[in-house]
Amino acid sequence: MHIDINQFFAACAILKEPSLKGKPLIIASDTRRGIVSTSTYEARKYGIYSGMPTYLAKKACKDVIIRSVDFAFYHQKSEEFFTYLKNNVTDVLEQVSIDEAYLDLTDILSYVTDKYGYLQSLQQRIFQVTKLQSSIGLANNKFLAKMGSDYKKPMGITIITKDRIQELLYPLKIKDFWGIGKKTYPKLNEIGIYTIGDLAVNESPSLKKILGKFYDEVKAWIRGEGDDEVNPVQREAKSISSTSTFLYDTSDYEELRQMILQKSKEISQGAKKDKKVGKTVTLILKDASFKSITRSITLSEPTNDYVVIYDKAMELFDKLFSSQLFRLAGVGLSSLTDEKDKYVQMTLLDAPKENKASTKLLVKQLNHKVKKNILMLASDLKEKKDAS
Ligand SMILES: [Mg+2]
């Protein structure tokens, strides 16, 4: 099964502000370079689409309502969603993004005669618990399951058995084929491939040339073969990292900063849960051409405090950021050791003051916002003065 929350960011915004329901709403940063990350069906009626610059969306619909991203809330809702699935369906769950996952239902469904009915009641229960609408695809491999969850929205359920591939998928446009990107489908159009059906029956050398090493895989997918293994994520013992892909490439400093903050919180939580501290903080980025960029910094003392992690990650980020587009951002913590070993090396005075963390973070966030170090804690000032 592949399950995907419908218009996740917009749905979250409406949960926080129910009066937004039914209105043309976009989730976007309202800045010069801002981009629409999610638009409601009502906004789409005006020709607004995800990936559109915010200023154009405002032109298309002057009454459009804009809300900025709130990763902390998305993360909370996402956790609810995945926790529900893990506890009530199966923990053989592979999370692919903040709002979608593959689940292996082979065992569960072997006892169920009405598979559609089972999925329908699952979808309803998820809605009751999380107040989020989702779409579900069921098939015997990941590709078809993903195509299934995309097939009908919102609250869609599509079961794609091998004998229904032709009926359901062949008429779809080639750009709807999962994995075929913006760059590839115009090339396919050029050789007369417009639908998935066209692709299924084409065995020409020009198609082989366009798809290259993916040719066999793509062909297997349309036949209903291919990868069906659900891989639950396992955390490495020596490092913790968390990354998320933006819905659209972004060069928005504030959006990137928010993501880095959220990811710092996540890995801090993870480390605390495992009672680990780490000495190396890594900033993980992918640019618009999927090139990975990582920068690391080694701390004088190991930590799992998110303020420290965030601060170091932002230090690395500020050094390399020059308004370029990013597709993915995240943070890693490595060189992990057990928390209990840390305090042995530290004096009592160096021990982290947890209650100071939130004030410290606020100061850092304000400094990052104005891109200058103009604020500091009075206690730090005092320490500085004492030292000099
Ligand atoms: Mg979604």
Side-chain angles (χ1 to χ4, degrees), residues 4-8 99-100 153:
D4 185 6
I5 301 173
N6 301 132
Q7 302 177 315
F8 181 50
D99 73 332
E100 58 180 305
K153 294 172 182 177

Side-chain angles (χ1 to χ4, degrees), residues 211-231:
L211 296 179
K213 59 178 179 173
F214 298 112
Y215 178 85
D216 289 332
E217 203 169 1
V218 163
K219 283 290 187 178
W221 284 349
I222 319 179
R223 285 196 304 268
E225 294 156 13
D227 187 15
D228 65 351
E229 202 181 318
V230 176
N231 310 307

